[in-house]
Amino acid sequence: MTTSVDPITLDLIENALLNARYEMDSVVVRIALSPVIREQHDEFPMICNEKGQMIVGQFGSYIPAIVEQFDSDINEGDVFVWNDPYACKGSISHNNDWCVMMPIFHEGNHVGFSSIFGHMVDVGGKVPGSMPSDARTIWEEGLRVPPVKVYENGVLNEGVLAIMLNNTRTPDMNRADLMALIAGCRVAAQRVGEICSRFGRDAYMTACDQLLDRTRDAMRVLINNYISEEPVTFTDYVDDDGVGNGPFKMHLSIYRRGDVAVIDWTGTDDQAEGPINFHIHEGLCKLFFGVYMIMAFDPKIMFNEGFYDLFEIVLPEGSLLNPKFPAALSNRLNTHTRFFDCQAGALGQKAPHLAMAAGYGTSPHFIFTGHDKNGKYFQLMELLFGGVPGRPLGDGFDGHAWWPLFSATPLEYIENYYPVLVESYKPVRDSGGAGMHRGGAGIEKIYRLLEPGSISIHDDREVVPPWGINGGLHGGTSSKWLLRAGETTPERIASKLDNLAVEAGDKVIFITAGSGGWGDPLERKLASVQKDVRADLVSVEQAKSDYGVIFDDTLTVDEAATSALRESKRAERGEAAAFDFGFIPGVTEAAE
């Protein structure tokens, strides 16, 4: 086998793999039918080496755990599928994610794997969308499929496919989306084969090893620079579990032992009764920390699994992050994204100039189901976005996704395919936390429903605000409202609910959380505050109270009055706080 690959060839292979990974995305969204994958891109591809280590991708590899189950009975033309989090050691984290994997061969030699998982709009269970807010066990959340071969030696297993499609309310969409995932894996296999033919199989496999080693070397430097031997701790909270319990504490400690970063979640609350538990794969936990450190401290480093042995993970059994079977998991994204906020809060204490604040803190979803005037069943599912936090380089994004490649569903798509009119879609004024760099704003989306049916909603950070950092202030919280047809006053509804009956003409007002600000708001440029006020992102009142900026009736800054007010506020406040958590019911009172 080739012992090394020259830097130019290594660079060519690296970029060829990255291009193949993005081509996987393109193929999937062209074939898929559901708006969640086709329009919002809720799918995550990767390409692995022959050992199952991720070379390019986003979520980290779960391949070794699957290979182990089949005792090397893996052949060219096989395609594996599964969706049960407990049967694959948390490689995917709720039943809606269908994962496919195929081995890659070149001239009969096994050289790697390709894999993608994507969110299916429905996999059965007690409610449309398969993410019940009040589930207490995974049995209520839809069909569970352990790893099986949906193709064996290139031949479709019709029985497996029939079982999977027979247990969903949206079989046509699920079939198309599943075949899209498989097509994405096949195009990756084709591209890897072409790379092997161009550069030589040995050179390709050696290059994969070198890419892993290069990332590991870079991560060792980051760990030694930014993680201290003295433990740093941080605590954040999830609102509730959907069945009346909460808030739930997530507690993180980070420290270094030699070159190894220890990530310890001891002190995190026990698993929830409701479905917010996050059954996280240990490798995925390592990847999340590695990716955060790369993005915060050195974005030029390539994402892969080369650094896994530089992280030690402690996930207490029976906790919110390591629940025992059969704990419900369907709405684990509240916990998932709070995981990121805890990372930022802990790592930012040693490098505040590189840290970011807290974001909108979940993956809000809206589901509307019913039958149209022709008696045809419809099921709209849409993921909504919120404020992405203020950061060292600038303001947070308004109404943006946590996941970089996600996009909003076009309004034209929703209105063409579902009995819904979107009357308004705009940022929420004053929801972005004040700071030298403002937190991103949440969004308000108003749906007018044109047919009777039922709605299901899931969101978080309605109770626990997204915190600010380095003097930045906390952001605004979420809320949901229902305006019945013919009424003038909307009623507030819960952030987590299922199957609420609605009639034609009713309006749903869906408001997501904003995010925390970064840096002292009294240091924000006057022109930036003025721009936000004129864009209706910040009110005149908040400009005065949080930024110390005074406007006249023409929205021109009164510089003399502003300078005096800012000086007064600095003297009254003193040194800006490292964190601003806002008021957390049940937590702030206890601390006082």
Side-chain angles (χ1 to χ4, degrees), residues 131 133 455-458 480 493-500:
M131 293 181 288
S133 64
I455 61 169
S456 297
I457 284 173
H458 190 89
K480 310 293 170 286
I493 57 178
S495 66
K496 301 172 182 66
L497 59 84
D498 295 317
N499 287 337
L500 177 65

Side-chain angles (χ1 to χ4, degrees), residues 48-51 102-105 109-114 192 204:
C48 301
N49 65 9
E50 81 284 2
K51 300 172 187 175
M102 66 178 295
I104 301 174
F105 289 82
N109 295 279
H110 181 216
V111 295
F113 297 90
S114 58
V192 169
Y204 169 75

Side-chain angles (χ1 to χ4, degrees), residues 48-199:
C48 301
N49 65 9
E50 81 284 2
K51 300 172 187 175
Q53 296 170 289
M54 187 187 80
I55 306 301
V56 293
Q58 288 174 270
F59 258 75
S61 177
Y62 31 76
I63 303 303
I66 306 304
V67 172
E68 181 182 341
Q69 295 183 44
F70 284 84
D71 193 26
S72 301
D73 181 21
I74 295 178
N75 309 295
E76 192 164 4
D78 290 349
V79 178
F80 299 79
V81 65
W82 66 90
N83 80 325
D84 182 357
Y86 289 108
C88 60
K89 299 182 180 180
S91 63
I92 44 92
S93 52
H94 70 162
N95 294 354
N96 287 79
D97 287 336
W98 282 9
C99 190
V100 299
M101 176 201 83
M102 66 178 295
I104 301 174
F105 289 82
H106 176 255
E107 297 176 349
N109 295 279
H110 181 216
V111 295
F113 297 90
S114 58
S115 183
I116 311 179
F117 70 86
H119 184 106
M120 300 292 146
V121 293
D122 190 279
V123 294
K126 62 187 286 188
V127 300
S130 312
M131 293 181 288
S133 64
D134 62 350
R136 288 170 168 82
T137 70
I138 198 169
W139 303 110
E140 303 166 74
E141 298 174 338
L143 178 70
R144 296 167 51 229
V145 179
V148 293
K149 293 184 181 182
V150 68
Y151 279 87
E152 187 164 9
N153 296 312
V155 178
L156 176 64
N157 188 328
E158 298 279 1
V160 167
L161 183 61
I163 291 171
M164 297 178 73
L165 299 181
N166 196 52
N167 284 274
T168 170
R169 299 170 180 86
T170 56
D172 292 343
M173 280 189 178
N174 285 36
R175 181 187 177 97
D177 289 0
L178 175 62
M179 293 304 165
L181 300 178
I182 293 171
C185 287
R186 285 176 172 158
V187 76
Q190 182 178 344
R191 297 295 175 255
V192 169
E194 291 168 356
I195 296 170
C196 289
S197 295
R198 177 183 177 187
F199 296 100

